[in-house]
mmCIF file of all heavy atoms in Angstrom:
data_model
loop_
_atom_site.group_PDB
_atom_site.id
_atom_site.type_symbol
_atom_site.label_atom_id
_atom_site.label_comp_id
_atom_site.label_asym_id
_atom_site.label_seq_id
_atom_site.Cartn_x
_atom_site.Cartn_y
_atom_site.Cartn_z
ATOM 1 N N TYR A 1 -85.133 1.167 30.907
ATOM 2 C CA TYR A 1 -85.512 -0.185 31.319
ATOM 3 C C TYR A 1 -84.902 -1.234 30.396
ATOM 4 O O TYR A 1 -84.316 -2.235 30.859
ATOM 5 C CB TYR A 1 -87.043 -0.270 31.317
ATOM 6 C CG TYR A 1 -87.626 -1.636 31.585
ATOM 7 C CD1 TYR A 1 -87.638 -2.163 32.870
ATOM 8 C CD2 TYR A 1 -88.187 -2.384 30.557
ATOM 9 C CE1 TYR A 1 -88.194 -3.409 33.123
ATOM 10 C CE2 TYR A 1 -88.752 -3.633 30.797
ATOM 11 C CZ TYR A 1 -88.748 -4.137 32.082
ATOM 12 O OH TYR A 1 -89.301 -5.373 32.330
ATOM 13 N N GLU A 2 -85.014 -1.010 29.103
ATOM 14 C CA GLU A 2 -84.506 -1.992 28.145
ATOM 15 C C GLU A 2 -82.974 -2.025 28.126
ATOM 16 O O GLU A 2 -82.384 -3.071 27.837
ATOM 17 C CB GLU A 2 -85.060 -1.714 26.751
ATOM 18 C CG GLU A 2 -86.543 -2.005 26.597
ATOM 19 C CD GLU A 2 -86.877 -3.486 26.808
ATOM 20 O OE1 GLU A 2 -85.982 -4.331 26.647
ATOM 21 O OE2 GLU A 2 -88.038 -3.783 27.148
ATOM 22 N N LEU A 3 -82.328 -0.923 28.419
ATOM 23 C CA LEU A 3 -80.877 -0.913 28.510
ATOM 24 C C LEU A 3 -80.379 -1.621 29.771
ATOM 25 O O LEU A 3 -79.320 -2.258 29.770
ATOM 26 C CB LEU A 3 -80.349 0.526 28.488
ATOM 27 C CG LEU A 3 -80.349 1.232 27.131
ATOM 28 C CD1 LEU A 3 -80.126 2.739 27.302
ATOM 29 C CD2 LEU A 3 -79.276 0.641 26.217
ATOM 30 N N VAL A 4 -81.155 -1.509 30.844
ATOM 31 C CA VAL A 4 -80.736 -2.047 32.133
ATOM 32 C C VAL A 4 -81.050 -3.534 32.283
ATOM 33 O O VAL A 4 -80.244 -4.299 32.838
ATOM 34 C CB VAL A 4 -81.403 -1.243 33.269
ATOM 35 C CG1 VAL A 4 -81.336 -1.993 34.590
ATOM 36 C CG2 VAL A 4 -80.770 0.129 33.399
ATOM 37 N N LEU A 5 -82.202 -3.963 31.820
ATOM 38 C CA LEU A 5 -82.676 -5.312 32.121
ATOM 39 C C LEU A 5 -81.682 -6.409 31.719
ATOM 40 O O LEU A 5 -81.481 -7.358 32.496
ATOM 41 C CB LEU A 5 -84.042 -5.551 31.469
ATOM 42 C CG LEU A 5 -84.762 -6.827 31.920
ATOM 43 C CD1 LEU A 5 -85.056 -6.794 33.414
ATOM 44 C CD2 LEU A 5 -86.064 -7.006 31.132
ATOM 45 N N PRO A 6 -81.024 -6.330 30.559
ATOM 46 C CA PRO A 6 -80.065 -7.387 30.222
ATOM 47 C C PRO A 6 -78.882 -7.475 31.184
ATOM 48 O O PRO A 6 -78.245 -8.537 31.279
ATOM 49 C CB PRO A 6 -79.590 -6.994 28.811
ATOM 50 C CG PRO A 6 -80.687 -6.151 28.260
ATOM 51 C CD PRO A 6 -81.210 -5.394 29.437
ATOM 52 N N ARG A 7 -78.582 -6.392 31.884
ATOM 53 C CA ARG A 7 -77.459 -6.380 32.826
ATOM 54 C C ARG A 7 -77.924 -6.451 34.282
ATOM 55 O O ARG A 7 -77.143 -6.175 35.194
ATOM 56 C CB ARG A 7 -76.572 -5.151 32.601
ATOM 57 C CG ARG A 7 -75.968 -5.102 31.196
ATOM 58 C CD ARG A 7 -74.773 -4.188 31.129
ATOM 59 N NE ARG A 7 -73.683 -4.626 31.998
ATOM 60 C CZ ARG A 7 -72.801 -5.571 31.681
ATOM 61 N NH1 ARG A 7 -72.888 -6.196 30.515
ATOM 62 N NH2 ARG A 7 -71.828 -5.885 32.518
ATOM 63 N N LEU A 8 -79.185 -6.800 34.484
ATOM 64 C CA LEU A 8 -79.708 -7.040 35.826
ATOM 65 C C LEU A 8 -79.603 -8.531 36.117
ATOM 66 O O LEU A 8 -79.979 -9.364 35.290
ATOM 67 C CB LEU A 8 -81.170 -6.594 35.904
ATOM 68 C CG LEU A 8 -81.863 -6.693 37.264
ATOM 69 C CD1 LEU A 8 -81.314 -5.653 38.234
ATOM 70 C CD2 LEU A 8 -83.378 -6.518 37.103
ATOM 71 N N ARG A 9 -79.059 -8.886 37.267
ATOM 72 C CA ARG A 9 -78.924 -10.305 37.588
ATOM 73 C C ARG A 9 -80.295 -10.940 37.771
ATOM 74 O O ARG A 9 -81.289 -10.259 38.091
ATOM 75 C CB ARG A 9 -78.096 -10.484 38.854
ATOM 76 C CG ARG A 9 -78.776 -10.028 40.136
ATOM 77 C CD ARG A 9 -78.054 -10.594 41.351
ATOM 78 N NE ARG A 9 -78.531 -10.039 42.607
ATOM 79 C CZ ARG A 9 -79.608 -10.484 43.273
ATOM 80 N NH1 ARG A 9 -80.348 -11.455 42.772
ATOM 81 N NH2 ARG A 9 -79.960 -9.929 44.426
ATOM 82 N N LYS A 10 -80.357 -12.249 37.602
ATOM 83 C CA LYS A 10 -81.589 -12.975 37.867
ATOM 84 C C LYS A 10 -81.972 -12.791 39.330
ATOM 85 O O LYS A 10 -81.141 -12.957 40.224
ATOM 86 C CB LYS A 10 -81.396 -14.458 37.564
ATOM 87 C CG LYS A 10 -82.658 -15.285 37.726
ATOM 88 C CD LYS A 10 -82.417 -16.736 37.350
ATOM 89 C CE LYS A 10 -83.682 -17.562 37.516
ATOM 90 N NZ LYS A 10 -83.453 -18.986 37.157
ATOM 91 N N GLY A 11 -83.195 -12.385 39.580
ATOM 92 C CA GLY A 11 -83.648 -12.086 40.933
ATOM 93 C C GLY A 11 -83.388 -10.659 41.350
ATOM 94 O O GLY A 11 -83.835 -10.237 42.412
ATOM 95 N N GLY A 12 -82.655 -9.902 40.507
ATOM 96 C CA GLY A 12 -82.393 -8.493 40.790
ATOM 97 C C GLY A 12 -83.660 -7.660 40.678
ATOM 98 O O GLY A 12 -84.668 -8.087 40.103
ATOM 99 N N LEU A 13 -83.592 -6.440 41.209
ATOM 100 C CA LEU A 13 -84.788 -5.614 41.348
ATOM 101 C C LEU A 13 -84.589 -4.248 40.716
ATOM 102 O O LEU A 13 -83.575 -3.591 40.945
ATOM 103 C CB LEU A 13 -85.122 -5.442 42.833
ATOM 104 C CG LEU A 13 -86.408 -4.693 43.191
ATOM 105 C CD1 LEU A 13 -87.630 -5.501 42.774
ATOM 106 C CD2 LEU A 13 -86.453 -4.400 44.693
ATOM 107 N N ILE A 14 -85.566 -3.836 39.920
ATOM 108 C CA ILE A 14 -85.673 -2.467 39.421
ATOM 109 C C ILE A 14 -86.821 -1.796 40.170
ATOM 110 O O ILE A 14 -87.909 -2.368 40.290
ATOM 111 C CB ILE A 14 -85.948 -2.424 37.908
ATOM 112 C CG1 ILE A 14 -84.800 -3.042 37.117
ATOM 113 C CG2 ILE A 14 -86.189 -0.977 37.446
ATOM 114 C CD1 ILE A 14 -85.109 -3.203 35.625
ATOM 115 N N ILE A 15 -86.584 -0.587 40.667
ATOM 116 C CA ILE A 15 -87.646 0.223 41.261
ATOM 117 C C ILE A 15 -87.806 1.468 40.397
ATOM 118 O O ILE A 15 -86.853 2.233 40.221
ATOM 119 C CB ILE A 15 -87.315 0.628 42.706
ATOM 120 C CG1 ILE A 15 -87.055 -0.613 43.568
ATOM 121 C CG2 ILE A 15 -88.451 1.462 43.300
ATOM 122 C CD1 ILE A 15 -86.627 -0.298 44.999
ATOM 123 N N ALA A 16 -88.981 1.664 39.838
ATOM 124 C CA ALA A 16 -89.269 2.838 39.015
ATOM 125 C C ALA A 16 -90.169 3.792 39.790
ATOM 126 O O ALA A 16 -91.209 3.382 40.322
ATOM 127 C CB ALA A 16 -89.933 2.428 37.706
ATOM 128 N N ASP A 17 -89.766 5.059 39.845
ATOM 129 C CA ASP A 17 -90.492 6.062 40.623
ATOM 130 C C ASP A 17 -91.494 6.806 39.742
ATOM 131 O O ASP A 17 -91.407 6.804 38.506
ATOM 132 C CB ASP A 17 -89.488 7.055 41.222
ATOM 133 C CG ASP A 17 -90.089 7.883 42.347
ATOM 134 O OD1 ASP A 17 -91.219 7.575 42.787
ATOM 135 O OD2 ASP A 17 -89.434 8.834 42.799
ATOM 136 N N ASN A 18 -92.450 7.457 40.402
ATOM 137 C CA ASN A 18 -93.435 8.345 39.751
ATOM 138 C C ASN A 18 -94.354 7.624 38.775
ATOM 139 O O ASN A 18 -94.830 8.220 37.808
ATOM 140 C CB ASN A 18 -92.741 9.505 39.028
ATOM 141 C CG ASN A 18 -91.855 10.322 39.937
ATOM 142 O OD1 ASN A 18 -90.634 10.349 39.760
ATOM 143 N ND2 ASN A 18 -92.438 10.975 40.921
ATOM 144 N N VAL A 19 -94.658 6.355 39.033
ATOM 145 C CA VAL A 19 -95.468 5.604 38.077
ATOM 146 C C VAL A 19 -96.960 5.908 38.200
ATOM 147 O O VAL A 19 -97.758 5.405 37.403
ATOM 148 C CB VAL A 19 -95.210 4.087 38.196
ATOM 149 C CG1 VAL A 19 -93.789 3.759 37.751
ATOM 150 C CG2 VAL A 19 -95.464 3.579 39.614
ATOM 151 N N LEU A 20 -97.343 6.732 39.165
ATOM 152 C CA LEU A 20 -98.708 7.265 39.202
ATOM 153 C C LEU A 20 -98.756 8.681 38.641
ATOM 154 O O LEU A 20 -99.835 9.210 38.385
ATOM 155 C CB LEU A 20 -99.262 7.248 40.635
ATOM 156 C CG LEU A 20 -99.481 5.861 41.243
ATOM 157 C CD1 LEU A 20 -99.940 5.981 42.697
ATOM 158 C CD2 LEU A 20 -100.482 5.053 40.429
ATOM 159 N N PHE A 21 -97.613 9.280 38.490
ATOM 160 C CA PHE A 21 -97.412 10.624 37.948
ATOM 161 C C PHE A 21 -98.491 11.618 38.391
ATOM 162 O O PHE A 21 -99.318 12.084 37.606
ATOM 163 C CB PHE A 21 -97.298 10.619 36.423
ATOM 164 C CG PHE A 21 -96.583 11.858 35.929
ATOM 165 C CD1 PHE A 21 -95.225 12.019 36.134
ATOM 166 C CD2 PHE A 21 -97.291 12.886 35.320
ATOM 167 C CE1 PHE A 21 -94.578 13.170 35.738
ATOM 168 C CE2 PHE A 21 -96.649 14.045 34.912
ATOM 169 C CZ PHE A 21 -95.285 14.186 35.121
ATOM 170 N N HIS A 22 -98.467 11.907 39.683
ATOM 171 C CA HIS A 22 -99.355 12.913 40.295
ATOM 172 C C HIS A 22 -100.832 12.580 40.086
ATOM 173 O O HIS A 22 -101.681 13.471 40.092
ATOM 174 C CB HIS A 22 -99.062 14.309 39.749
ATOM 175 C CG HIS A 22 -97.608 14.619 39.613
ATOM 176 N ND1 HIS A 22 -96.714 14.522 40.654
ATOM 177 C CD2 HIS A 22 -96.878 14.997 38.536
ATOM 178 C CE1 HIS A 22 -95.502 14.850 40.229
ATOM 179 N NE2 HIS A 22 -95.572 15.120 38.961
ATOM 180 N N GLY A 23 -101.123 11.303 39.880
ATOM 181 C CA GLY A 23 -102.495 10.876 39.660
ATOM 182 C C GLY A 23 -102.994 11.036 38.243
ATOM 183 O O GLY A 23 -104.127 10.645 37.939
ATOM 184 N N GLN A 24 -102.160 11.570 37.358
ATOM 185 C CA GLN A 24 -102.622 11.832 35.991
ATOM 186 C C GLN A 24 -102.895 10.552 35.207
ATOM 187 O O GLN A 24 -103.722 10.545 34.294
ATOM 188 C CB GLN A 24 -101.609 12.705 35.258
ATOM 189 C CG GLN A 24 -101.511 14.122 35.810
ATOM 190 C CD GLN A 24 -100.475 14.967 35.095
ATOM 191 O OE1 GLN A 24 -100.225 14.799 33.907
ATOM 192 N NE2 GLN A 24 -99.854 15.885 35.826
ATOM 193 N N VAL A 25 -102.224 9.443 35.557
ATOM 194 C CA VAL A 25 -102.494 8.177 34.860
ATOM 195 C C VAL A 25 -103.828 7.571 35.292
ATOM 196 O O VAL A 25 -104.303 6.606 34.673
ATOM 197 C CB VAL A 25 -101.363 7.159 35.089
ATOM 198 C CG1 VAL A 25 -100.063 7.659 34.487
ATOM 199 C CG2 VAL A 25 -101.177 6.854 36.569
ATOM 200 N N LEU A 26 -104.445 8.125 36.335
ATOM 201 C CA LEU A 26 -105.740 7.639 36.795
ATOM 202 C C LEU A 26 -106.902 8.301 36.069
ATOM 203 O O LEU A 26 -108.053 7.874 36.232
ATOM 204 C CB LEU A 26 -105.880 7.886 38.305
ATOM 205 C CG LEU A 26 -104.752 7.370 39.204
ATOM 206 C CD1 LEU A 26 -105.045 7.718 40.662
ATOM 207 C CD2 LEU A 26 -104.559 5.879 39.036
ATOM 208 N N GLU A 27 -106.607 9.339 35.311
ATOM 209 C CA GLU A 27 -107.662 10.035 34.586
ATOM 210 C C GLU A 27 -108.227 9.154 33.470
ATOM 211 O O GLU A 27 -107.530 8.279 32.935
ATOM 212 C CB GLU A 27 -107.122 11.336 33.983
ATOM 213 C CG GLU A 27 -106.564 12.325 34.998
ATOM 214 C CD GLU A 27 -107.647 13.018 35.806
ATOM 215 O OE1 GLU A 27 -108.834 12.766 35.549
ATOM 216 O OE2 GLU A 27 -107.293 13.817 36.705
ATOM 217 N N GLU A 28 -109.489 9.397 33.119
ATOM 218 C CA GLU A 28 -110.122 8.617 32.051
ATOM 219 C C GLU A 28 -109.361 8.768 30.740
ATOM 220 O O GLU A 28 -109.190 7.801 29.985
ATOM 221 C CB GLU A 28 -111.572 9.073 31.878
ATOM 222 C CG GLU A 28 -112.347 8.228 30.880
ATOM 223 C CD GLU A 28 -113.822 8.570 30.857
ATOM 224 O OE1 GLU A 28 -114.309 9.193 31.824
ATOM 225 O OE2 GLU A 28 -114.475 8.229 29.861
ATOM 226 N N GLU A 29 -108.895 9.986 30.464
ATOM 227 C CA GLU A 29 -108.036 10.226 29.303
ATOM 228 C C GLU A 29 -106.703 10.771 29.815
ATOM 229 O O GLU A 29 -106.647 11.847 30.402
ATOM 230 C CB GLU A 29 -108.672 11.234 28.343
ATOM 231 C CG GLU A 29 -107.808 11.508 27.118
ATOM 232 C CD GLU A 29 -108.400 12.570 26.207
ATOM 233 O OE1 GLU A 29 -109.520 13.059 26.490
ATOM 234 O OE2 GLU A 29 -107.739 12.920 25.204
ATOM 235 N N VAL A 30 -105.637 10.006 29.606
ATOM 236 C CA VAL A 30 -104.311 10.424 30.066
ATOM 237 C C VAL A 30 -103.782 11.491 29.112
ATOM 238 O O VAL A 30 -103.719 11.283 27.895
ATOM 239 C CB VAL A 30 -103.345 9.229 30.121
ATOM 240 C CG1 VAL A 30 -101.954 9.684 30.565
ATOM 241 C CG2 VAL A 30 -103.878 8.164 31.080
#
């Protein structure tokens, strides 16, 4: 993310996958 963002145009879009990671980030203790 930090390597890409400076070279992303203004208004450009990053899509990051697996940000729920099989529901494990929803657990009380990750």
Side-chain angles (χ1 to χ4, degrees):
Y1 174 75
E2 290 297 337
L3 284 166
V4 163
L5 191 62
R7 300 199 62 82
L8 184 70
R9 70 164 171 84
K10 184 177 180 180
L13 185 68
I14 297 172
I15 303 176
D17 196 9
N18 303 115
V19 293
L20 294 176
F21 202 71
H22 318 305
Q24 292 179 32
V25 296
L26 308 179
E27 300 286 358
E28 185 172 342
E29 180 183 357
V30 178

